[in-house]
């Protein structure tokens, strides 16, 4: 079974509805390490050696965060800046993350129809996530499409539970094997056949 590291980043988790529903559902799953960055590093002083150790111990790396100004909250970026060092994560001798699986799990206030060329946000979520995609690729990781919970302000508790169940199913799938044929050209992991909630 693949080991999963969830790098979770939410500056106001105590006020969260969407992410708290997602986290609550998966936090005690076997083989999953939930690493709450704001809880661990409230002063932003990241223990790089410890983070590298954690990465070494896991096969699947999840950047889980709400979308803030079309990107991640600042501690997540700090984590990327500090931990993904030259000649460790990338560069001629940087093979530590080679072949690990990587993806973003995000929540957005804006709904899906706002994220297109005619919408208020002009670009798709996948386009906004390009820096994460390319970061993962530069480090030799296999980047999967995101799992996204969108339009959070309009979702009731029941809707959130449906997404939480889907996230839990996704974790199960990632622990085994996600085949290329499962993903095909899908833009969001939410849409793959094996994750459909009946
Ligand atoms: C500082 C800040 C920036 C935000 N930027 C965006 C954004 O760029 N796009 C978007 O769709 N929602 C944005 N939102 C809304 C959050 O993504 C949304 O409230 C969050 O995903 C809901 O999850 P939660 O209930 O776990 O907090 C922003 C919220 C805050 C506080």
């Amino acid at each position: 079974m693949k080991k999963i590291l969830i790098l979770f980043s939410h500056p106001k988790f105590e006020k969260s509805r969407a992410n708290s529903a997602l986290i609550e559902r998966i936090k005690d799953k076997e083989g999953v390490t939930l690493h709450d960055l704001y809880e661990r590093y409230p002063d932003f002083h990241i223990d790089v050696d410890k983070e590298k150790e954690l990465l070494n111990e896991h096969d699947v790396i999840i950047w889980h965060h709400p979308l803030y100004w079309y990107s991640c909250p600042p501690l997540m970026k700090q984590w990327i800046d500090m931990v993904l060092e030259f000649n460790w994560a990338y560069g001629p001798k940087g093979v530590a993350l080679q072949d690990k699986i990587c993806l973003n799990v995000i929540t957005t206030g804006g709904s899906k129809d706002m994220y297109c060329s005619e919408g208020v946000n002009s670009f798709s979520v996948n386009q906004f996530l390009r820096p994460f995609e390319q970061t993962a690729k530069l480090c030799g990781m296999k980047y999967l499409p995101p799992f996204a919970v969108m339009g959070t302000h309009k979702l009731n508790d029941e809707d959130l539970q449906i997404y939480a169940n889907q996230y839990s199913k996704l974790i199960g799938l990632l622990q085994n094997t996600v085949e290329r044929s499962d993903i095909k050209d899908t833009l969001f992991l939410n849409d793959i056949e094996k994750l459909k909630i009946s």
Side-chain angles (χ1 to χ4, degrees):
M1 190 165 87
K2 290 199 170 78
K3 290 183 75 186
I4 299 190
L5 176 62
I6 299 179
L7 297 164
F8 178 61
S9 173
H10 195 314
K12 287 195 174 167
F13 191 40
E14 67 284 359
K15 296 210 167 140
S16 155
R17 281 182 66 241
N19 287 283
S20 68
L22 296 178
I23 292 292
E24 189 53 39
R25 188 69 180 74
I26 53 86
K27 67 177 196 295
D28 297 324
K29 277 181 100 77
E30 203 195 329
V32 173
T33 305
L34 175 65
H35 190 33
D36 183 338
L37 295 180
Y38 275 91
E39 185 181 67
R40 176 71 180 76
Y41 301 117
D43 57 3
F44 274 55
H45 286 119
I46 291 176
D47 181 342
V48 174
D49 289 340
K50 180 74 198 158
E51 296 305 306
K52 286 179 173 177
E53 216 175 279
L54 270 176
L55 287 167
N56 281 333
E57 288 165 2
H58 292 81
D59 312 294
V60 180
I61 313 303
I62 298 182
W63 287 315
H64 179 155
H65 58 92
L67 200 69
Y68 272 15
W69 289 109
Y70 309 109
S71 186
C72 59
L75 183 53
M76 178 98 265
K77 180 63 165 58
Q78 174 82 345
W79 182 96
I80 290 172
D81 293 350
M82 295 298 118
V83 179
L84 303 183
E85 286 179 346
F86 177 67
N87 271 346
W88 185 80
Y90 71 101
K93 294 180 190 155
V95 292
L97 302 175
Q98 208 75 28
D99 292 331
K100 291 186 193 287
I101 288 173
C102 182
L103 65 142
N104 290 80
V105 168
I106 60 162
T107 60
T108 72
S111 53
K112 213 178 219 177
D113 55 299
M114 293 175 179
Y115 283 92
C116 63
S117 54
E118 301 80 31
V120 66
N121 293 318
S122 307
F123 301 98
S124 71
V125 160
N126 306 77
Q127 285 171 313
F128 284 118
L129 293 176
R130 284 271 164 80
F132 296 94
E133 177 176 358
Q134 181 51 30
T135 299
K137 283 185 179 163
L138 189 71
C139 297
M141 294 194 276
K142 294 174 187 155
Y143 185 78
L144 301 184
F147 177 83
V149 178
M150 303 185 72
T152 53
H153 306 316
K154 291 184 186 154
L155 297 176
N156 62 30
D157 291 349
E158 209 176 304
D159 299 325
L160 289 173
Q161 281 315 311
I162 291 172
Y163 280 110
N165 286 338
Q166 218 185 11
Y167 190 21
S168 173
K169 257 188 167 181
L170 172 63
I171 296 287
L173 209 60
L174 292 167
Q175 284 175 326
N176 296 297
T177 311
V178 187
E179 307 287 349
R180 276 272 140 225
S181 57
D182 291 331
I183 297 172
K184 297 195 193 95
D185 295 328
T186 189
L187 293 175
F188 295 96
L189 285 181
N190 309 58
D191 297 332
I192 69 177
E193 201 57 40
K194 287 182 180 167
L195 289 188
K196 291 263 160 68
I197 304 277
S198 47

